[in-house]
Structures are given as C-alpha cells and as structure tokens.
Amino acid sequence: MNDIPARLTVVTLGARDVGALRSFYRSLGWPEAPGSDDTWAGFLLGGVLLALYPLGELTAEAGAGGPPGSWSGVTLACNVDTRDEVDAAFAAALAAGAAGVAAPVDREWGGRSGYIADPEGNRWEVAWAGSARFDSRGALVSFG
C-alpha cells in the first residue's frame, strides 16, 4: 500500500451557519449522513462526503500555514484505513513537499487527523474515522 492512498473522501465547507446550509442541501434531496445536526452535517454524494463544519472551528484546525491569503475555507480529505496510517501519510506528504499546517492529533469525534497544505496552499486533511467504509476502488460508501 502507498503511504497516501489515491482517494478523495471528504470535501469540507467552512460554514458561517451550518443549520442554514444543512437545510439548503437537505432541500435538494441529498441523503444526509447519520449523526448530522446543526453543529456538523454530512451528505454522501457518489463516493465522497460533503461535510459542513463551522467556519471558525475549521479555520482553527486548518487555517494556518501555506502562502499568505491562501485559506479559502474549504478542505479536502484523504481518509486512510487505520489510525496509525494517519501519521505515516502525513509524513509522506511532508516528504513530498507539503507544508505542515496541523500535526496529527486524536480528535474529539473519535478519529485522528492532521492538515497539510499543498504548494498552492490548498488544505488537505489526512484522516482516519472508524466509521468510514470504502469499496474495492477506495470510494467512500458509508460514513457514520
């Protein structure tokens, strides 16, 4: 296995009002992930989770580092298969030229993750979530 699997599993939008944004996506008829509420919400869309997370909290986790002015309020995530793989994937990203934004830590939601910035400042979360399930191609099939 590669240290960083070639998969995009989560796109997180930093939301100023999670409840209002959640209502919008629900009104589109998109399937909401279990555990969603007005503090965090997710929608499983064709193998990728669209996550809504409070902008202030996302900025605290992922907003530092990278070129000045590069923080857009959006993160991309690559979920790995085990908790221990987070640190290996994070180290591999740094070795490939990524900038460390936030070292991997155990999160209050039960997973582990860290953030890197690619050379253009785009934020990637390298994460493990015990509830994430993938198909044989690495596409996310359930979360939560």
Side-chain angles (χ1 to χ4, degrees):
M1 181 188 112
N2 295 330
D3 286 326
I4 304 176
R7 56 171 78 139
L8 174 64
T9 52
V10 181
V11 174
T12 302
L13 302 178
R16 287 179 291 282
D17 184 339
V18 173
L21 203 52
R22 176 182 180 221
S23 293
F24 168 76
Y25 287 113
R26 288 175 69 180
S27 71
L28 296 177
W30 290 5
E32 193 168 20
S36 293
D37 60 26
D38 284 350
T39 63
W40 173 92
F43 298 86
L44 192 56
L45 308 173
V48 175
L49 184 75
L50 173 65
L52 310 177
Y53 198 67
L55 180 59
E57 292 179 43
L58 188 60
T59 299
E61 288 183 12
S70 65
W71 172 238
S72 66
V74 175
T75 64
L76 307 168
C78 176
N79 279 68
V80 294
D81 295 318
T82 68
R83 178 183 299 278
D84 292 338
E85 289 175 26
V86 171
D87 294 70
F90 188 86
L94 296 180
V101 172
V105 297
D106 291 334
R107 301 288 179 184
E108 68 280 350
W109 45 265
R112 182 170 180 77
S113 74
Y115 290 89
I116 59 101
D118 71 14
E120 297 253 334
N122 299 298
R123 301 308 198 275
W124 280 85
E125 180 183 22
V126 179
W128 169 79
S131 63
R133 299 291 177 260
F134 307 96
D135 68 14
S136 61
R137 299 172 301 122
L140 187 66
V141 295
S142 69
F143 193 91

